[in-house]
Amino acid sequence: MTLTEQTPKKVAIIGTGVIGNGWIIRFLANGFDVVAFDPAEGAEEKTKQVIKNAWESVKELGLHPEADQNRLTFVSTMEEAVKDADLIQENVPERVVLKQQVLADIDSHAKGDAIIGSSTSGIKPTELQVQMKNPERLVVAHPFNPVYLLPLVEIVGGESTNQENINLAYQFYEKANMKPMIIDKEIEGFVADRLMEALWREALHLVNDGIATTEEVDKAITYGAGLRWAQMGPFMTFHLAGGEQGMRHMLEQFGPALKLPWTKLEAPELTDELKERVITGCESHAGERSVAELERRRNEFLVKLMDLVEEYWP
């Protein structure tokens, strides 16, 4: 099957935490019907408030002609949520056994041609498939927070996933105005998180060793590497660092230095002292600004930044 403009676009969201709500907003903004289920008390009210807070940001990015907050329906059972859905997005906590159980339950109640996506940020899809009767339709579809603004979604199939369903998942997420990325080989943490974890590891070492504060580390990224990476990423950044000969000259000139011990290959022990340094550093840097205020400013920034990325880099 190939998705067309006439293809039904009904999505089920299972679990409405930060990521689940982000998916809801993403799909509503792009003209999908969304059915949500979360057994937590007050989940529907919280979701509606999150949508209200974020809608202006997605509106600035551009809404689908059929975008409508009223296309969201909350239901009282998971079975009801998934029964007619074309795509089911699972967002329960990162516990392997829990996800296996939930995904098997989803699989047993979903219609035959539905695609099932897990938002896991690190569990291999093969592990998630073990209790499913139809494991061939399970993909990891790992998004990034805030899902309603950041367009990347990493799609990874497990040993039992067939290529047709991977391709269908790609088309679904593309219709939600995302930038899908198919990862052909399973690896814990996939690609983007592996890169971010490496930077996070080094940042913790710098703070732990008293070399830099949390604010100084953030400044180093915000006003240095981060500005360049937003446009073209590390490889093209270093390609430009090589001058006229590009990456060839860069590796010849600076490649030998890669052997120097510039990196700590293991994360530091997360001691109480280190945790307190990180926590107090972040709280001091945030100052009087609440998390809600910081999120609002982040969203405004990301909307403007993505316009620039689209303009200057395909």
Side-chain angles (χ1 to χ4, degrees):
M1 180 175 71
T2 300
L3 298 187
T4 67
E5 287 301 320
Q6 288 73 43
T7 302
K9 297 192 297 182
K10 188 172 186 177
V11 176
I13 303 295
I14 307 302
T16 59
V18 172
I19 298 301
N21 282 332
W23 277 119
I24 288 172
I25 298 166
R26 162 72 63 175
F27 285 119
L28 289 176
N30 286 280
F32 287 73
D33 290 312
V34 181
V35 181
F37 168 70
D38 192 316
E41 186 177 350
E44 182 174 358
E45 291 72 22
K46 290 178 182 177
T47 292
K48 288 181 177 178
Q49 186 60 50
V50 172
I51 294 172
K52 181 180 178 182
N53 293 343
W55 200 253
E56 190 60 35
S57 294
V58 294
K59 189 176 180 181
E60 287 184 38
L61 275 183
L63 296 174
H64 186 278
E66 298 177 8
D68 188 343
Q69 298 179 48
N70 294 319
R71 295 181 74 167
L72 170 65
T73 304
F74 258 82
V75 294
S76 58
T77 66
M78 188 277 294
E79 293 87 344
E80 188 179 358
V82 306
K83 65 179 182 179
D84 297 320
D86 304 295
L87 174 70
I88 301 152
Q89 193 74 33
E90 169 272 312
N91 312 282
V92 303
E94 290 284 280
R95 298 197 294 272
V96 175
V97 174
L98 174 62
K99 281 187 177 287
Q100 288 172 339
Q101 293 171 343
V102 170
L103 288 166
D105 203 14
I106 290 171
D107 183 38
S108 67
H109 291 93
K111 63 181 186 177
D113 60 350
I115 300 295
I116 302 173
S118 173
S119 297
T120 179
S121 59
I123 304 170
K124 291 181 178 181
T126 296
E127 288 186 75
L128 299 175
Q129 291 173 326
V130 295
Q131 295 184 31
M132 297 175 66
K133 293 181 180 179
N134 304 284
E136 69 280 354
R137 56 174 167 172
L138 183 280
V139 298
V140 161
H142 173 225
F144 296 83
N145 186 43
V147 183
Y148 52 86
L149 293 182
L150 295 183
L152 181 63
V153 55
E154 296 177 315
I155 299 175
V156 194
E159 290 178 1
S160 300
T161 312
N162 66 40
Q163 189 61 48
E164 180 184 359
N165 285 328
I166 291 174
N167 295 340
L168 267 175
Y170 186 101
Q171 294 174 46
F172 262 110
Y173 295 114
E174 198 170 44
K175 282 188 173 296
N177 204 26
M178 302 193 84
K179 302 287 187 183
M181 170 184 173
I182 294 177
I183 300 172
D184 293 324
K185 185 175 181 180
E186 290 184 272
I187 184 173
E188 294 87 347
F190 319 123
V191 172
D193 272 2
R194 292 289 291 252
L195 295 170
M196 289 189 288
E197 287 295 333
L199 180 61
W200 175 234
R201 180 191 65 223
E202 297 301 315
L204 287 175
H205 274 298
L206 291 169
V207 172
N208 189 57
D209 297 343
I211 295 168
T213 65
T214 58
E215 184 173 0
E216 289 167 340
V217 170
D218 282 357
K219 184 180 289 186
I221 297 301
T222 300
Y223 298 109
L227 288 172
R228 298 180 299 187
W229 289 346
Q231 184 190 15
M232 56 180 64
F235 281 108
M236 289 305 296
T237 295
F238 282 127
H239 182 62
L240 296 185
E244 291 294 327
Q245 296 180 43
M247 182 63 81
R248 183 176 302 279
H249 177 68
M250 199 287 284
L251 289 177
E252 290 174 354
Q253 183 77 5
F254 303 107
L258 297 175
K259 295 181 179 180
L260 294 174
W262 282 1
T263 183
K264 308 269 191 177
L265 294 180
E266 294 184 2
E269 185 71 26
L270 198 58
T271 62
D272 289 341
E273 180 183 1
L274 176 54
K275 287 192 286 188
E276 197 57 33
R277 283 190 188 183
V278 172
I279 293 167
T280 57
C282 291
E283 290 175 345
S284 174
H285 193 187
E288 298 298 318
R289 293 169 294 186
S290 67
V291 170
E293 170 64 11
L294 291 171
E295 287 180 342
R296 185 188 63 78
R297 290 171 61 84
R298 176 203 64 191
N299 289 356
E300 289 179 0
F301 172 79
L302 287 175
V303 169
K304 293 178 181 179
L305 180 62
M306 283 189 289
D307 285 341
L308 284 172
V309 172
E310 288 297 319
E311 181 178 353
Y312 285 96
W313 194 252

